[in-house]
Amino acid sequence: GGIMVKEQERVINISDRCDRCGSRAYVWANGINGDLFFCAHHFVKHESAIRNYAFEIIDERDALDG
């Protein structure tokens, strides 16, 4: 037997695309006007504005590491 490690369930799937450029999305932000998706690049570029806008942010950029 071994220890089973359940991978964290992803909320953002491979078909979700960045609202700025159309690349694969790794960050989801839910704000007053609805939800937005961002690739890692555009999230970093606009992070302060996104954090001011969003009630909730799901950041799955760790998926880029492996």
Side-chain angles (χ1 to χ4, degrees):
I3 298 171
M4 292 293 293
V5 177
K6 184 176 183 290
E7 186 176 330
Q8 180 184 352
E9 193 165 325
R10 300 278 174 202
V11 174
I12 302 166
N13 68 50
I14 198 165
S15 65
D16 291 322
R17 297 290 165 196
C18 176
D19 289 319
R20 300 289 294 177
C21 70
S23 293
R24 182 173 173 190
Y26 289 96
V27 181
W28 171 83
N30 184 23
I32 196 164
N33 294 325
D35 57 347
L36 297 169
F37 287 98
F38 297 95
C39 66
H41 166 79
H42 281 111
F43 177 72
V44 170
K45 186 173 181 180
H46 303 290
E47 183 170 1
S48 62
I50 295 165
R51 291 197 181 279
N52 287 333
Y53 163 82
F55 301 123
E56 181 182 7
I57 293 173
I58 296 173
D59 183 348
E60 296 185 354
R61 288 177 293 165
D62 64 318
L64 288 165
D65 296 335

